[in-house]
Every structure is written in C-alpha cells, then in structure tokens.
C-alpha cells in the first residue's frame, strides 16, 4: 500500500495556497511598481522641462549641472536612508555638512593641501556621527532630540569658526576637480563619487549582514535583540555611517562652490528625509531602498532646475515638494494597510 505524499510546505511550515504566488515574488513586484512609478514621475518632469525650456533644459551643460547638484544631497540621502530604515532619524545632517565644510577650509587646514581638506571633512563628519550615536544608542536619548541638539551645536560652531565670512579655497587640486577639464567621458567627478556611494550603499543594505541587521532593528528592535543582534552597537554604526556620508558630501560641496560657508547644507536634512520617504523608505523603519532614495533626489533636483529655468517663485516650488511628500506618505500608508 502506497503512503500518502505530504504536500510541500514553505519555510514557515505552512502549506501554500494553490495559485498563490511566493512571498518573494510579491515583494519584488511591489518594489518594481514603486521604482517604475518614480521613474515615470522623473520622465514626466524631464518631458515638462523639455517642453517649457527645450534649449536650456536639454542642454548638456544643464543636465550635468542637475546631476552635480544632486550628487551632494544624494550622498547625504544614502546615509539618511540607512538611519531611517533602522527606525531612527537624523536632523543634523545639513549642519554637519556645514561644520565639516568650514572646518576643512580654514587657513590652517588648507596648508595640508588636498589630503588635509578631505581628511578633515571626513573626520568632522564621523566625529559628529559618533556623538549622535553615543547619545542615542548608549545615552538613551530620543533620536529627534539628540540630532536636533547636534543641529544647533554644529551650526553654532560653524558660525564661530567662520565669523560669518566665506572661506575661499586656494588649493589647486581641489579647485581643478570642479572644472570641465576633469570630467570623465563628460561626467563630472562629483557624479562619479555619488554613483560609487550609491552602489556601495545598495550592496551594504541588500547584500550584507549589516544591511539585514539594519532592517531587523527597524522592523522590531526587541525581536532583533532577542535574535542576538546588538541593537545599541548597530545604531551607533548607523549614525557613524550617516556622519561619514555628510563628510563626503561636505568635500563635494567644497569642490562645487570652491569655498566653505556656515550656511552650507541649509535644509539638507529635510530634502534628504523627503527624498528617502518618496523613494519608498518607511519613516517608521523596517524597510529601505537606496534606488528609491536616489530617484527621489533626482526628482527634487529636477523640479528645482525646472522652476529656476522658468523663473518661477521659490514658494511655489516648496509647495510642489510638500505635495509630493504628502502624496508619497499617503501611498505608503495605503500600501501598508493592504499588506
């Protein structure tokens, strides 16, 4: 007598329903829908720019400018995406960029040349991230309060260093990176750095244990702790990563502007958080997407460029950005309620 064959079961031990697609295929489908939607919005903006100002918007120099401007805030957004995915928040990124840029462009720092400026920007960014991480992970402070305090402190210190004056860069090696002669196949060096940071960020978030721990902490910190993850150390590493991205962005901004100012990075924290949210990263944590965040940055940068070319008021631009953020959050809530 033949024995009955037991039905196949999934990884949880449950028998999948007939005709029901695997969970991974559902998740991939949703990710594709989000990505395609963002690409559709970006394509629509490019079309609008091409229709309203075809000669100016589609000019190669203008497209290079859009990508260059997106590179600075884009690097910051990669770091912010990791923090938000873990369930945290970082309101200090703009102020850290400002502090790193002015500290790296003082007369004393510029005496050490290209390496001195780059090293100082990176160290200041990581140092600020370390303070944030220690206060939040081991000091028990709420991320909103800790990073808000860092925002105020870093802005104040940046103003004290510069005394309200612009610090001009005189190091030729730094200034040459902002010139067209340094472009590689028509691509500005800043864009190449942004692309490299994006690729590394995607690999770390999606293909490493560090990325899986980040998602686990954001999804359920207590469950992650019970699973053996050192939640406090993970959060410290994430704010160090965010600070490192701020240091890189500060150096890119120095190349772009040829100076250091205490007003650098103004509202970067809002732009980075907004780009991450419309890209599909959950503000409550547990889900993050580097590709979506990058597309969000490109969308906001393109909007800014279109408004500037058409001489439209900046207040209308801010209203448009606000509407996009609200729409993205509503879509996220609707998606979450159907899962």
């Amino acid at each position: 007598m033949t024995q009955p064959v037991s039905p196949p079961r999934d990884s949880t031990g449950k028998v999948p329903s007939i005709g029901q697609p695997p969970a991974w295929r559902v998740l991939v489908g949703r990710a594709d829908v989000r990505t395609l939607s963002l690409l559709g919005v970006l394509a629509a903006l490019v079309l609008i720019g091409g229709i309203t100002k075809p000669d100016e918007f589609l000019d190669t120099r203008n497209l290079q400018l859009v990508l260059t401007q997106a590179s600075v805030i884009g690097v910051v957004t990669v770091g912010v995406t990791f923090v938000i995915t873990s369930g945290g928040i970082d309101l200090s990124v703009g102020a850290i960029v400002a502090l790193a840029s002015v500290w790296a462009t003082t007369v004393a720092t510029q005496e050490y040349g290209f390496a001195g400026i780059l090293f100082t920007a990176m160290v200041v960014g990581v140092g600020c991230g370390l303070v944030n991480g220690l206060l939040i992970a081991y000091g028990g402070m709420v991320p909103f309060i800790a990073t808000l305090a860092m925002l105020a402190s870093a802005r104040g210190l940046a103003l004290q260093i510069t005394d309200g004056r612009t610090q001009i860069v005189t190091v030729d090696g730094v200034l040459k990176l902002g010139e067209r002669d340094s472009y590689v196949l028509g691509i500005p060096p800043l864009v190449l750095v942004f692309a490299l940071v994006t690729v590394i960020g995607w690999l770390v978030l999606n293909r490493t244990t560090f990325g899986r721990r980040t998602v686990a902490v954001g999804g359920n910190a207590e469950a992650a702790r019970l699973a053996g993850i050192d939640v406090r150390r993970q959060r410290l590493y994430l704010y160090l990563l965010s600070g490192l991205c701020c240091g890189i962005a500060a150096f890119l901004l120095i190349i772009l502007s040829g100076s250091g100012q205490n007003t650098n990075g103004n509202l970067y924290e809002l732009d980075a958080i907004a780009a991450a949210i419309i890209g599909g990263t959950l503000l409550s944590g547990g889900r993050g997407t580097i590709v979506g965040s990058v597309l969000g940055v490109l969308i906001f940068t393109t909007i800014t460029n279109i408004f500037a070319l058409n001489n439209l008021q900046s207040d209308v631009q801010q209203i448009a950005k606000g509407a996009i953020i609200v729409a993205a959050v509503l879509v996220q809530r609707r998606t979450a309620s159907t899962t």
Side-chain angles (χ1 to χ4, degrees), residues 34-207:
R34 287 195 300 268
T35 303
L36 290 175
S37 298
L38 292 172
L39 287 173
V41 172
L42 184 59
L45 290 173
V46 172
L47 181 62
I48 292 173
I51 293 175
T52 56
K53 291 288 183 178
D55 296 333
E56 294 89 342
F57 181 79
L58 297 178
D59 183 72
T60 302
R61 290 177 179 269
N62 183 64
L63 296 178
Q64 290 173 336
L65 175 63
V66 171
L67 291 176
T68 301
Q69 292 176 337
S71 298
V72 180
I73 184 62
V75 171
V76 175
T77 304
V78 170
V80 169
T81 299
F82 276 88
V83 172
I84 296 178
T85 301
S86 71
I89 198 74
D90 193 346
L91 301 178
S92 63
V93 290
I96 295 176
V97 169
L99 179 60
S101 69
V102 300
W103 208 323
T105 54
T106 60
V107 175
T109 302
Q110 292 194 50
E111 291 180 355
Y112 293 93
F114 183 98
I117 294 176
L118 175 60
F119 177 78
T120 302
M122 303 273 280
V123 169
V124 172
V126 172
C128 292
L130 176 62
V131 174
N132 280 337
L134 290 175
L135 290 176
I136 294 167
Y138 294 94
M141 290 188 67
V142 177
F144 183 91
I145 300 300
T147 56
L148 185 63
M150 175 58 72
L151 183 156
S153 301
R155 282 290 178 192
L157 184 55
L159 179 60
Q160 186 178 50
I161 291 175
T162 61
D163 196 23
R165 293 190 293 267
T166 299
Q167 299 178 164
I168 304 300
V169 177
T170 58
V171 179
D172 290 337
V174 175
L175 296 175
K176 287 181 179 178
L177 288 177
E179 298 175 356
R180 297 187 63 84
D181 293 340
S182 63
Y183 288 12
V184 180
L185 299 177
I187 303 175
L190 276 70
V191 178
L192 296 176
V193 173
F194 176 35
L196 179 61
V197 171
T198 299
V199 171
I200 294 176
W202 185 89
L203 291 174
V204 171
L205 184 60
N206 296 280
R207 293 292 184 267

